[in-house]
Amino acid sequence: MKEKWWHSLVGYQIYPKSFQDSNSDGIGDLPGIIRRLEDLEQLGINMIWICPVYQSPMMDHGYDISDYTKIDPMFGTKEDLKQLISEAKKRGITVIMDLVINHTSSLHPWFQEALKNPEGKYGKYYIIRKGDGEIPPNNWRSLFGGSAWERIGDSDNYYLHLFTVGQPDLNWENEELRKELYRMINDWLELGIGGFRIDAIAHIKKDLSYRNLPPDGPDGLHAGMQWFRNVEGIETYLRELKENTFDRYDCFTLAEVDDIPEERLNAYIGENGYYSSVFDFCHCFHSQLDGKWKGHWKEMLADIRDRVFERQKKMEGKGFFCNYQENHDIIRVPDRFLPKEKQNFHSLSMLPVLYFFLAGIPMIYQGQEIGMTGYPREKIGDYEDLATYNNYQEYLLEGMTPEEALEKINATSRENARTPMQWSSEAYAGFSDVKPWFDVNPDYVTCNVEEQRRPGSLRDFFRKVTALRRDSAYEKTWVYGSFLPQEQETGQIWGFQRSYKGQELIVLVNFTDQPVRTVQAYLIRKVLLDNYERTEKPEQGRNTIMLRPWQALVFESDGSDLI
Ligand code: BGC
């Protein structure tokens, strides 16, 4: 594989609204990010992805853009962004922005014009179809609940919105629109950003036959994914997009695309793929708080391991997934993977070791490095997110009581991951000096960055993890090395070997609260990372290893002795 500048990125995702307020309005902003660059540099990352900061009415917290060319004043100005880019660069950090081109805000002037004249130029920028009076064109369900169609006034015209009603889908069939988007993308790249995280891009092509489908829920609607995700023919747009924008700047692109059909993986993220890398969701639907995994967290982790390893094998030597455990759309990983009573330094510190040394781009989400968790709300009104409200309504419709519905929301709402960043034990966690837009988790008094500046903290361990991932003595193996699962038969150990040009590195993680002995024998040449202070010397010679509860061990091995 030809080496590229972005292969060795280690990313950190920032949800700007909740990261750091600098102007006392209770909302995080770009100058706030600049103020925290030193902390990020210390953490050892070299790329930040900032969620949307464009002008937006915030119906979906910035994923509904009303002007692609402007920064929303709540986040600052274009000058602030330029300063962020240059300050970050001084610290060796690349900035990537979010790119939301499946839909705009309903307040975007294009859509406002489309509403006035659905047959006109801007009507063709969106997907507007005839329904029959109050009956929409078909029974697709929006990804955020409710019908995917919204009627325009009392006409027969409906517009499609796969997400909230405030996010009309753009019509990618329209070449004029596509060109307009490419111009906008290139303008941002001219500013010096390193690339984009590309939102919801798998949905830009819809199967235009718009079938009515058998209802799959009490709302009479159908989820319809196969008609609007990775639809055949999307490739033409993806290629055109890349050639007209990303390729011209040699930028890094990280697309949000789940469930890529195996035969298309290479076209998506192979050497000349449409994107540099993708987030897939193979572990996002697993939560020990929910559904079939309740009370079975160990089995759940073994299942996730097998899925992740399968993907590693599929892309071995061909391309990179982006590896992550958290983002702004899922609940925090300690809550998802571990029962509360099992959350402690060792169990939390083994979590990053599960994914940081896999092939691919590792990403940390803000607050993950200090072990932030969600906290249950007492009433549904404490949430802000429209998707969360829609889910709540669906649960009621399914027959849950309001208490049961709230309990489920507390266990699943993505807003659990959006509480303000916990910087210190001062009022409002040092995020702001006024009441923030969204309540801080009350555990900030003990769980915060200031407290974790000390050696031996979780954040300190994350620093060791990023340092090892970027250590020039091992980086090539982490980035380009082959991948060989180890101990997969145990159901308790997440283990693998990475090898490159004679160097062999082993990662072994006991993801249970009991000691467990490896099945295979290993030769430990040099311990590189351990979440226990080793009291005894590394075992000499080739031996099986007794892993302590939650132990995460990374070592250099002598390949010739292994297996
Ligand atoms: C983003 C979500 C957003 C949705 C619609 C997702 O992929 O990550 O936060 O609500 O796209 O833009």
Side-chain angles (χ1 to χ4, degrees):
M1 195 186 301
K2 201 166 143 223
E3 294 188 16
K4 301 222 170 109
W5 70 270
W6 51 264
H7 284 172
S8 49
L9 290 178
V10 175
Y12 187 93
Q13 180 192 353
I14 293 180
Y15 193 71
K17 250 190 124 172
S18 300
F19 191 62
Q20 176 69 66
D21 178 18
S22 75
N23 61 348
S24 307
D25 62 358
I27 299 172
D29 45 46
L30 293 169
I33 301 177
I34 297 172
R35 203 207 279 174
R36 291 296 180 181
L37 280 174
E38 191 177 337
D39 282 318
L40 297 178
E41 185 184 11
Q42 279 171 8
L43 192 59
I45 54 92
N46 59 0
M47 176 258 285
I48 51 177
W49 148 32
I50 9 178
C51 288
V53 287
Y54 312 95
Q55 183 179 297
S56 164
M58 293 283 146
M59 197 175 220
D60 189 21
H61 299 285
Y63 283 93
D64 49 326
I65 296 169
S66 56
D67 189 336
Y68 281 115
T69 66
K70 296 203 174 90
I71 298 291
D72 196 288
M74 86 168 58
F75 294 121
T77 61
K78 224 176 227 179
E79 281 312 306
D80 293 329
L81 180 71
K82 285 190 198 157
Q83 200 192 339
L84 171 61
I85 296 169
S86 74
E87 290 299 317
K89 196 168 175 192
K90 287 184 201 153
R91 297 172 189 273
I93 298 174
T94 302
V95 177
I96 71 166
M97 289 180 80
D98 223 300
L99 181 63
V100 189
I101 47 179
N102 174 68
H103 45 265
T104 65
S105 156
S106 54
L107 295 189
H108 195 291
W110 298 342
F111 190 69
Q112 289 297 310
E113 286 303 315
L115 287 180
K116 284 186 216 149
N117 182 7
E119 320 297 330
K121 166 172 166 164
Y122 291 106
K124 296 192 181 76
Y125 273 33
Y126 294 89
I127 302 178
I128 298 178
R129 292 288 182 279
K130 294 267 181 242
D132 184 5
E134 288 187 355
I135 305 170
N138 70 21
N139 69 341
W140 287 358
R141 184 184 297 111
S142 139
L143 292 164
F144 286 171
S147 169
W149 296 95
E150 182 72 6
R151 194 170 178 187
I152 303 183
D154 52 11
S155 71
D156 274 351
N157 284 322
Y158 282 75
Y159 71 85
L160 182 73
H161 61 91
L162 292 183
F163 296 91
T164 70
V165 70
Q167 291 163 296
D169 279 59
L170 287 164
N171 174 20
W172 272 72
E173 309 285 323
N174 181 344
E175 192 183 351
E176 198 179 347
L177 161 80
R178 297 202 304 274
K179 288 202 169 133
E180 191 140 11
L181 292 175
Y182 303 156
R183 275 194 295 277
M184 171 279 286
I185 293 169
N186 290 337
D187 283 349
W188 286 109
L189 286 167
E190 283 295 327
L191 221 65
I193 57 169
F196 292 103
R197 176 267 187 183
I198 312 174
D199 183 69
I201 192 76
H203 302 298
I204 58 172
K205 169 117 185 149
K206 283 87 180 172
D207 176 341
L208 294 167
S209 55
Y210 292 112
R211 276 161 259 220
N212 238 342
L213 300 156
D216 62 9
D219 55 4
L221 303 172
H222 189 287
M225 270 292 196
Q226 67 273 40
W227 279 274
F228 50 74
R229 187 180 62 188
N230 297 328
V231 169
E232 281 294 335
I234 194 172
E235 289 79 7
T236 317
Y237 300 145
L238 299 181
R239 194 170 309 113
E240 188 188 274
L241 167 65
K242 174 180 185 255
E243 285 170 4
N244 284 279
T245 58
F246 314 141
D247 271 358
R248 300 185 179 178
Y249 293 84
D250 186 26
C251 73
F252 171 64
T253 55
L254 181 46
E256 186 195 33
V257 192
D258 189 31
D259 222 10
I260 303 176
E262 193 174 342
E263 65 283 3
R264 292 202 229 160
L265 271 173
N266 214 34
Y268 276 59
I269 51 170
E271 193 125 30
N272 292 307
Y274 310 128
Y275 316 114
S276 314
S277 181
V278 287
F279 289 114
D280 93 341
F281 297 1
C282 73
H283 50 79
C284 295
F285 306 110
H286 289 62
S287 169
Q288 56 89 28
L289 285 170
D290 196 28
K292 78 180 214 198
W293 299 115
K294 217 167 194 137
H296 299 283
W297 49 277
K298 292 177 207 162
E299 291 79 357
M300 183 185 83
L301 285 171
D303 189 64
I304 294 177
R305 174 195 63 185
D306 297 346
R307 286 162 194 258
V308 169
F309 284 10
E310 192 192 312
R311 277 165 179 69
Q312 286 283 301
K313 287 309 287 178
K314 274 185 192 155
M315 284 318 289
E316 193 178 2
K318 297 188 207 124
F320 299 100
F321 282 107
C322 178
N323 302 313
Y324 67 106
Q325 289 176 339
E326 293 194 2
N327 65 36
H328 63 296
D329 285 333
I330 39 177
I331 64 166
R332 296 279 187 179
V333 71
D335 295 336
R336 219 151 33 93
F337 286 5
L338 300 167
K340 268 277 183 252
E341 69 281 6
K342 303 285 178 200
Q343 294 172 14
N344 55 46
F345 170 77
H346 290 112
S347 64
L348 296 180
S349 58
M350 64 96 190
L351 292 173
V353 185
L354 299 180
Y355 76 101
F356 243 81
F357 303 104
L358 296 169
I361 313 291
M363 182 77 81
I364 301 171
Y365 176 60
Q366 66 182 47
Q368 186 184 342
E369 73 274 28
I370 53 168
M372 278 176 65
T373 54
Y375 72 103
R377 306 301 169 114
E378 280 166 18
K379 47 184 193 313
I380 186 69
D382 290 343
Y383 286 97
E384 294 270 334
D385 177 37
L386 254 182
T388 298
Y389 278 97
N390 288 349
N391 291 337
Y392 180 75
Q393 291 307 330
E394 274 176 17
Y395 301 150
L396 295 180
L397 209 63
E398 284 166 17
M400 289 188 196
T401 62
E403 293 70 34
E404 288 165 346
L406 181 62
E407 196 187 331
K408 180 142 185 193
I409 290 293
N410 278 333
T412 56
S413 170
R414 60 183 186 164
E415 278 206 315
N416 278 298
R418 299 179 181 183
T419 55
M421 179 70 188
Q422 296 167 199
W423 294 106
S424 71
S425 58
E426 284 163 41
Y428 309 122
F431 161 73
S432 176
D433 47 19
V434 300
K435 189 171 162 45
W437 70 276
F438 197 41
D439 279 348
V440 180
N441 187 331
D443 77 355
Y444 75 91
V445 187
T446 48
C447 173
N448 62 64
V449 173
E450 278 310 320
E451 196 283 324
Q452 293 200 22
R453 291 195 194 282
R454 65 183 160 81
S457 69
L458 182 62
R459 182 173 180 274
D460 187 50
F461 189 76
F462 262 86
R463 291 177 57 181
K464 291 183 182 148
V465 170
T466 55
L468 176 57
R469 182 61 171 61
R470 295 187 57 202
D471 185 332
S472 57
Y474 307 103
E475 194 175 40
K476 286 261 191 288
T477 303
W478 299 133
V479 177
Y480 301 110
S482 62
F483 173 82
L484 186 66
Q486 306 281 310
E487 307 289 328
Q488 223 171 338
E489 62 275 46
T490 67
Q492 289 133 300
I493 298 173
W494 183 299
F496 55 89
Q497 173 193 294
R498 305 290 315 280
S499 322
Y500 186 73
K501 296 196 174 160
Q503 185 176 70
E504 307 236 322
L505 305 177
I506 306 282
V507 176
L508 294 174
V509 181
N510 172 6
F511 56 79
T512 76
D513 54 353
Q514 301 298 317
V516 54
R517 186 169 284 285
T518 61
V519 173
Q520 289 182 45
Y522 299 87
L523 186 99
I524 302 180
R525 214 144 68 93
K526 184 175 175 198
V527 172
L528 305 177
L529 185 74
D530 188 352
N531 64 348
Y532 277 84
E533 298 234 342
R534 286 186 77 84
T535 39
E536 79 277 20
K537 281 200 166 131
E539 294 167 65
Q540 296 301 308
R542 186 181 147 108
N543 259 313
T544 57
I545 302 172
M546 180 61 97
L547 293 169
R548 301 182 195 185
W550 316 114
Q551 187 166 14
L553 187 63
V554 182
F555 58 90
E556 196 171 352
S557 166
D558 185 336
S560 58
D561 262 33
L562 190 80
I563 304 184

